[in-house]
Amino acid sequence: MNVLEHLIDTYCDGWSASKPEERERLIRAALADDATYCDPRANSLPIPNLLEHISEVQAKRPGARVVRTSVVDVHHSFARFHWHVVLPDGTTLPEGLDVVELSPDGKHIQKILGFFGPLQRRSS
């Protein structure tokens, strides 16, 4: 596993950690101090708000895990990867896609932009 895959997996593990202290440790290890997060339900959250958002999501799906399901595709300072949520009974929710921007030193995630579910095919 390369450094970027490890960074992305640490971020996903942060979404999966049930203990708040472990969640914060993982998220802070993966993200730059001034990182922001955006998905269809949250916009430009700094780390403290992201941690609160993750807690709220976990409260709705106790025991769920976020798992990376693709390679990490990278160019310049941007990367993308697919993920899905695995419920405690093994059921998976539709796959999502995150696009991340890396910090200038390449050691942390600076920005995260998340999308839920697959794209719909364009009608002719």
Side-chain angles (χ1 to χ4, degrees), residues 84-105:
H84 64 218
V85 174
V86 180
L87 301 177
D89 68 1
T91 303
T92 59
L93 300 180
E95 197 166 58
L97 169 77
D98 277 6
V99 176
V100 301
E101 181 177 4
L102 300 173
S103 61
D105 65 6

Side-chain angles (χ1 to χ4, degrees), residues 74-79 102:
V74 62
H75 70 80
H76 300 90
S77 62
F78 299 94
L102 300 173

Side-chain angles (χ1 to χ4, degrees), residues 16-81:
S16 304
S18 60
K19 295 180 181 173
E21 306 81 28
E22 179 70 0
R23 183 180 318 128
E24 182 170 0
R25 183 187 69 74
L26 290 163
I27 292 295
R28 289 192 182 277
L31 274 58
D33 291 338
D34 59 346
T36 57
Y37 173 86
C38 181
D39 73 20
R41 297 184 185 130
N43 189 20
S44 297
L45 299 181
I47 291 175
N49 299 87
L50 172 59
L51 292 167
E52 184 178 324
H53 177 65
I54 294 171
S55 293
E56 292 167 2
V57 170
Q58 285 188 352
K60 295 174 187 171
R61 294 190 178 101
R65 297 177 297 117
V66 174
V67 178
R68 178 171 58 91
T69 59
S70 72
V71 298
V72 176
D73 182 30
V74 62
H75 70 80
H76 300 90
S77 62
F78 299 94
R80 65 179 176 159
F81 62 96

